[in-house]
């Protein structure tokens, strides 16, 4: 009886690369790296509030040089103005990633992001610090207000 050959496991990303390639191509992405590495390309501060939706390539005109594409970003509503003001920085970083002047404009679509990282909630201040702050607030008569101010003061001093 012969022994079976070695089993070589392939990463899931390799097995599904053809499936995702078609989906990204329909959105104008030549490669999926702009989406999967967006945090590295745009920077953590910018990537926290926006993500690339698609790239719109203009139709080539015969005899004319190829015009740069338009990158469509999905941005959370209140941050759209900030992202618009950062558009030069974003364009520079995206074009540096591509290695050539591929993208010339940004278009912003205000919508919730499709992927949201979990926001870490700050832990509440410890009871000793809150009690120490509450002792300093003897002039406040309302108990609920005193407790809230003590928690606020302890949180501020912790940071």
């Amino acid at each position: 009886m012969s022994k079976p050959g070695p089993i070589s496991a392939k990463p899931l990303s390799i097995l599904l690369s053809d499936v995702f390639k078609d989906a990204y191509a329909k959105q104008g992405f030549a490669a999926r790296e702009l989406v999967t590495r967006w945090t590295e390309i745009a920077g953590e501060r910018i990537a926290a509030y926006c993500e690339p939706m698609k790239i719109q390539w203009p139709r080539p005109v015969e005899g004319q040089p190829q015009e740069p594409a338009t990158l469509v970003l999905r941005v959370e509503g209140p941050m759209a103005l900030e992202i618009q003001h950062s558009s030069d920085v974003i364009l520079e970083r995206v074009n540096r990633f591509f290695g050539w002047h591929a993208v010339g404009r940004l278009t912003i679509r205000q919508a919730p992001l499709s992927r949201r990282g979990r926001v870490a909630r700050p832990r509440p201040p410890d009871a000793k610090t809150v009690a120490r702050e509450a002792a300093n607030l003897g002039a406040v008569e309302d108990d609920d207000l005193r407790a809230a101010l003590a928690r606020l003061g302890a949180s501020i001093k912790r940071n």
Side-chain angles (χ1 to χ4, degrees), residues 6-38:
I7 298 174
S8 62
K10 292 184 180 178
L12 189 58
S13 62
I14 291 174
L15 295 173
L16 294 177
S17 65
D18 291 337
V19 173
F20 290 128
K21 186 189 307 181
D22 294 337
Y24 285 117
K26 286 181 183 176
Q27 297 302 318
F29 296 109
R32 67 177 180 265
E33 282 79 19
L34 184 66
V35 176
T36 59
R37 297 177 56 194
W38 180 245

Side-chain angles (χ1 to χ4, degrees), residues 39-113:
T39 303
E40 297 171 38
I41 296 167
E44 286 186 29
R45 189 177 73 77
I46 292 173
Y49 300 105
C50 67
E51 63 189 8
M53 285 178 62
K54 62 182 172 180
I55 295 181
Q56 296 173 332
W57 295 93
R59 294 189 184 270
V61 178
E62 194 171 322
Q64 297 290 327
Q66 176 68 35
E67 291 185 32
T70 301
L71 175 62
V72 181
L73 291 178
R74 178 182 292 139
V75 181
E76 289 185 335
M79 287 302 292
L81 187 61
E82 179 72 27
I83 297 298
Q84 183 179 5
H85 287 298
S86 302
S87 63
D88 291 338
V89 173
I90 296 169
L91 286 173
E92 179 185 331
R93 290 176 182 176
V94 168
N95 287 327
R96 188 179 324 135
F97 170 75
F98 282 127
W100 60 290
H101 186 67
V103 179
R105 288 186 40 206
L106 287 182
T107 301
I108 295 174
R109 302 283 187 258
Q110 289 184 339
L113 297 181

